[in-house]
Amino acid sequence: MPPNTNLFNSNIIKTAHLYQSVLQKWKDKYQLNQVHALMITTGIIHHPPSASKLVASFASSALSGTTSIAFSIADQVKGLDSYTWNTITRGYLEENKPREAILVYSHMRKKALKVDAHTLLFVTKACGFMSRFFEAVQIHAQICKLGFVSNFVIQTALLNVYGSFDMLIDMQQVFDEMSERDLVTWNSLVAAYARQNCPFKVLDVLHRMIRDHFRPNGMTVVSILSALSTLREGKMIHCYMIRNLADFDVFAHNALICMYSKCGCLLHARRIFQMIPIKNVVSWTSMISGYSDNNHSKEALALFKEMESKRIKPDKIAMLSVVSMCSKSGSFELGEWIDHYVEKNRIAKESSVYLANALLDMHAKCGNINKACQIFDEIQDKTLVSWTSIIHGLAMHGQGVSALVRFCQMQRQGFKPDGIVFQSVLSACSHAGLVDEGLKCFDSMVKDHHLEPGTEHYGGVMDLLCRAGLINEAFEFIVKMPIKADAIVWRILLRACQEQGDINLANQVIKHFDELGPNSCEDYIVLSNLNAIASNWYTVGQLRNKMKVSGMINLHPGSSSIEIKS
C-alpha cells in the first residue's frame, strides 16, 4: 500500500532530488537496479518526478531489455505524465520493437492517459517499421480524432509511413492536405513515386516543386534519376546538376551511372564512373551491373577483376550481377572461375538464398548440372525460385525423370507450383521423351492447380508431341486450343514437318502463317527445303520469289559457338 503523502516531508523531498541527480550520472543496468531497489524501500518510487526520472533512465539505456523494465515500473506508479510514457515508446523504437511501442500507446489510451504530439509521432514511426499497413491507417484515424492532423511533424511522419508501404494515393492525399511543406516532404514524395517506377509522376512532382519555389537538392535528383529510363530527361537532370549543384557526392554519381546504363549509354556511364574521386562498393556494382545488363560480359568481368585487385570486397548485388552475366554467356570456364572465386573468398551461399539460386542457375546454364544439384542440396531454406531453377536446369540437360522427381518433392514440401514451374516440367518431359507424363502434368495444371495455360505452355505441349514424332496429334492439339496459336507454336510444328518430311501438313501450316500476317524468312526456307527434297522445283521457285518480293531474304547468316576444354 502506498505510504501516506504526509510522509513526504522536506527530508524525503531532498532524498528524491538526490536520487534524481544520481540517475543523471548512472546508466549501468546494475546501478539502475540498485537505485530502483532503494527507491522501493524508501517509498520514493511513488514520488512521480523521481519515478519518471527512473523510468526515463531505464528507457533511454542502450542495454537490451531495459525498456520492458521501464514499462513495468511506469505501470505501477500513478500520476506519470505523457513525457514519461513517451520515453518508453521511444525506447521500444530504439530497440527495434515497433509492436511493443504500439502496445504502449494502446495501454495509454485504455488508461485514459493524456497523449501529445510526441506520443503520436513515435507511434506513427512505429507503424512504419511494421510489415502491415492496417495499424498505420488506424493511427491516422486516431490523429484526426485527437485533433493533431494539422501538426506538421506528424504529417511528415505519416507521409513517410505511407511512402514506406507504397500507398501512393494516401501519401498524395496527406501531402495535398499539408498547409506547409519543406524540402524533406517534397523529397519524400519524389522518392515514393521513384520507387514505384512512375517517371511521369516524378517529373510532375518536380515541376510542382519548382513552381512552389523549392530548389531540388542532391537527394531529389538521386530519386529522379532512379525513375528515369529515357536519355533525354536523364541528360536534362544531369545538366541541372552541373549548373545548380556545387558538389556531386558519390550517391549522385552512382545514380548517374545507373541512369546512363539503363539507357544503354555505357560510354557516358564509364566516364562518370572514372570521375568519382572516392568510389564506394555501390559505384563498382552499378558499373558492373550496367555492363552485365547490356550484354558486355568481357567489360563486366574485367571491371570485377579490377575491383578485386583494389581489395574492394564485392557486395551481394555485385556478385549477383557477375553471376547473371556468366549465366548469359553460358561459358563453362567462366562458371568455374566464379565458383573458384566464391570458394576462395569464402562467400557464404547459405547466407543469401538469392546468390545460391543465381549460382545454381549459372552452373546449370554453363553445363555443370552436377554442381547445380550440389548447390541446391546445400540450400537450407529453399524458395520456389530454387525449385524452379533446378527443375529447369535438369530439363535443359535432358534429365526429365530427375526433374519430375524434384517436381514431386517440391509439392510434398508444401510449395505450390506456378506457371513457370509447369513450363519447366513440360520442357523436361519434352527433352526426355516422356509424352504421357508431360500430358498428365499439363492436365494437372488446369484441373488440380486451376492455372490458366499461356502460349508458352501450349508451345511446351506442342514441342513434347513434335519431338515424339506425333505431328498429326500436334496439329489437332493446335486446332482445338482455346486461344489462337501464335507464329511460335506453328513454327514448332513446321520444323517437325521438315524432320518428318510431311509436305502436305507443312503446306497447311503455312496457310495458317498467312492468316497471322508477315512471316519470317526461316519459315519459308523450311517449306522450300521440304519441296526441294520432293523435287517440287516449281513450288520452290514460287516460294523464293515470294520471299524476294516480301523482302524476307536474310543476308545476315546465323552463327553458333562451342567451347573446347584444353
Side-chain angles (χ1 to χ4, degrees):
M1 188 173 186
N4 195 303
T5 54
N6 293 328
L7 295 178
F8 284 104
N9 53 31
S10 59
N11 291 329
I12 294 180
I13 295 295
K14 289 179 181 178
T15 306
H17 287 307
L18 175 64
Y19 281 130
Q20 291 178 44
S21 62
V22 168
L23 286 169
Q24 289 179 343
K25 301 175 182 177
W26 288 7
K27 299 296 180 183
D28 182 78
K29 189 175 181 180
Y30 177 74
Q31 294 172 330
L32 291 175
N33 284 332
Q34 282 185 316
V35 174
H36 184 198
L38 287 169
M39 289 177 69
I40 292 173
T41 56
T42 58
I44 302 297
I45 193 68
H46 297 287
H47 182 236
S50 301
S52 176
K53 192 68 180 177
L54 179 65
V55 169
S57 297
F58 270 109
S60 60
S61 173
L63 300 170
S64 176
T66 53
T67 308
S68 298
I69 299 173
F71 177 79
S72 63
I73 296 170
D75 195 34
Q76 296 173 17
V77 179
K78 293 181 180 179
L80 294 179
D81 56 10
S82 300
Y83 168 80
T84 307
W85 288 98
N86 290 344
T87 58
I88 298 172
T89 310
R90 184 174 59 188
Y92 277 126
L93 283 180
E94 290 174 354
E95 289 184 11
N96 196 23
K97 295 179 178 179
R99 183 175 177 276
E100 285 77 2
I102 293 173
L103 289 175
V104 171
Y105 172 75
S106 178
H107 180 78
M108 291 175 69
R109 297 293 291 159
K110 284 179 182 177
K111 286 201 167 189
L113 299 172
K114 185 181 177 181
V115 298
D116 57 16
H118 289 92
T119 314
L120 295 169
L121 173 63
F122 292 142
V123 76
T124 301
K125 288 182 176 180
C127 292
F129 296 137
M130 299 287 284
S131 58
R132 297 170 297 178
F133 63 84
F134 182 69
E135 287 82 359
V137 176
Q138 286 184 312
I139 295 299
H140 191 178
Q142 290 277 307
I143 290 168
C144 296
K145 183 179 178 180
L146 295 170
F148 290 93
V149 71
S150 299
N151 185 289
F152 176 73
V153 177
I154 293 177
Q155 284 179 322
T156 304
L158 279 171
L159 198 71
N160 292 327
V161 167
Y162 282 128
S164 67
F165 290 119
D166 295 324
M167 298 171 66
L168 300 183
I169 295 175
D170 300 272
M171 184 181 186
Q172 185 69 61
Q173 184 177 344
V174 172
F175 182 83
D176 292 337
E177 290 174 355
M178 295 178 76
S179 57
E180 59 176 307
R181 303 179 184 113
D182 61 6
L183 190 57
V184 174
T185 56
W186 281 104
N187 283 345
S188 297
L189 191 63
V190 170
Y193 281 119
R195 279 196 303 271
Q196 286 296 297
N197 196 24
C198 303
F200 295 110
K201 262 294 186 185
V202 168
L203 293 174
D204 178 60
V205 173
L206 177 63
H207 292 150
R208 289 176 56 195
M209 180 180 179
I210 294 171
R211 284 199 304 269
D212 213 14
H213 307 294
F214 283 95
R215 193 172 184 176
N217 62 2
M219 190 175 293
T220 318
V221 296
V222 167
S223 297
I224 294 169
L225 287 170
S226 68
L228 298 180
S229 57
T230 57
L231 188 59
R232 180 174 174 271
E233 284 82 3
K235 283 188 172 181
M236 287 173 60
I237 298 299
H238 192 182
C239 289
Y240 174 87
M241 293 168 67
I242 294 171
R243 291 176 182 174
N244 296 280
L245 300 181
D247 296 316
F248 288 10
D249 60 15
V250 69
F251 303 105
H253 279 112
N254 294 343
L256 283 169
I257 292 171
C258 291
M259 184 273 294
Y260 279 120
S261 298
K262 197 189 301 182
C263 296
C265 297
L266 295 177
L267 191 63
H268 290 76
R270 184 63 188 242
R271 192 174 298 147
I272 297 291
F273 176 77
Q274 291 171 337
M275 287 169 58
I276 304 176
I278 302 175
K279 303 175 181 67
N280 61 13
V281 67
V282 178
S283 310
W284 291 90
T285 301
S286 300
M287 195 65 243
I288 292 169
S289 299
Y291 279 130
S292 177
D293 294 340
N294 287 276
N295 297 320
H296 288 256
S297 56
K298 290 182 179 178
E299 290 84 351
L301 185 60
L303 194 61
F304 183 79
K305 290 182 177 179
E306 183 183 344
M307 179 183 180
E308 184 189 14
S309 68
K310 293 184 182 294
R311 301 183 179 226
I312 299 173
K313 188 178 180 180
D315 58 8
K316 292 176 183 177
I317 298 175
M319 287 304 305
L320 285 171
S321 297
V322 174
V323 172
S324 173
M325 174 261 306
C326 181
S327 298
K328 292 177 185 177
S329 69
S331 170
F332 184 88
E333 182 181 355
L334 187 54
E336 290 292 300
W337 182 86
I338 289 180
D339 189 61
H340 176 69
Y341 178 86
V342 170
E343 297 295 333
K344 184 181 75 171
N345 292 276
R346 297 180 180 179
I347 299 174
K349 299 185 282 290
E350 299 81 5
S351 62
S352 172
V353 69
Y354 303 105
L355 180 58
N357 290 340
L359 287 167
L360 188 163
D361 183 64
M362 178 197 74
H363 283 296
K365 289 179 178 176
C366 292
N368 195 346
I369 189 62
N370 292 331
K371 184 66 178 180
C373 290
Q374 179 188 333
I375 293 173
F376 175 80
D377 292 333
E378 291 173 354
I379 300 175
Q380 297 296 325
D381 299 317
K382 297 178 177 65
T383 64
L384 185 61
V385 176
S386 310
W387 288 100
T388 305
S389 299
I390 194 62
I391 291 170
H392 181 67
L394 291 166
M396 285 193 304
H397 289 265
Q399 298 184 22
V401 175
S402 298
L404 286 174
V405 169
R406 297 289 190 183
F407 179 63
C408 294
Q409 289 175 345
M410 181 190 81
Q411 293 180 86
R412 281 200 298 270
Q413 291 193 18
F415 287 92
K416 187 177 180 180
D418 58 8
I420 299 174
V421 174
F422 275 106
Q423 188 179 349
S424 298
V425 171
L426 288 170
S427 175
C429 293
S430 177
H431 284 82
L434 304 172
V435 179
D436 293 336
E437 289 80 0
L439 293 175
K440 285 179 183 177
C441 286
F442 182 79
D443 192 55
S444 173
M445 174 186 175
V446 179
K447 294 181 179 178
D448 299 332
H449 298 278
H450 309 291
L451 296 173
E452 186 176 348
T455 307
E456 63 276 7
H457 300 104
Y458 288 110
V461 175
M462 282 295 303
D463 188 58
L464 176 73
L465 295 170
C466 289
R467 283 177 182 268
L470 305 173
I471 56 175
N472 291 314
E473 289 82 351
F475 183 76
E476 290 178 13
F477 180 80
I478 294 181
V479 173
K480 293 178 181 178
M481 278 170 52
I483 62 174
K484 189 175 181 180
D486 61 7
I488 296 173
V489 175
W490 286 111
R491 193 166 290 129
I492 294 171
L493 183 55
L494 186 61
R495 297 294 186 276
C497 290
Q498 182 184 22
E499 293 174 4
Q500 297 287 321
D502 195 327
I503 299 174
N504 294 328
L505 188 55
N507 283 320
Q508 293 184 58
V509 172
I510 284 293
K511 289 178 183 178
H512 287 281
F513 269 115
D514 292 334
E515 294 175 5
L516 292 172
N519 317 123
S520 72
C521 173
E522 291 80 5
D523 300 326
Y524 276 96
I525 289 174
V526 169
L527 190 58
S528 175
N529 291 340
L530 275 170
N531 282 280
I533 292 170
S535 300
N536 296 332
W537 301 113
Y538 176 76
T539 307
V540 171
Q542 283 186 318
L543 289 169
R544 293 285 178 176
N545 288 331
K546 187 174 182 179
M547 289 169 64
K548 288 179 182 179
V549 172
S550 303
M552 290 189 292
I553 297 294
N554 186 5
L555 300 177
H556 302 285
S559 62
S560 60
S561 62
I562 60 171
E563 189 173 351
I564 301 173
K565 290 187 70 174
S566 56

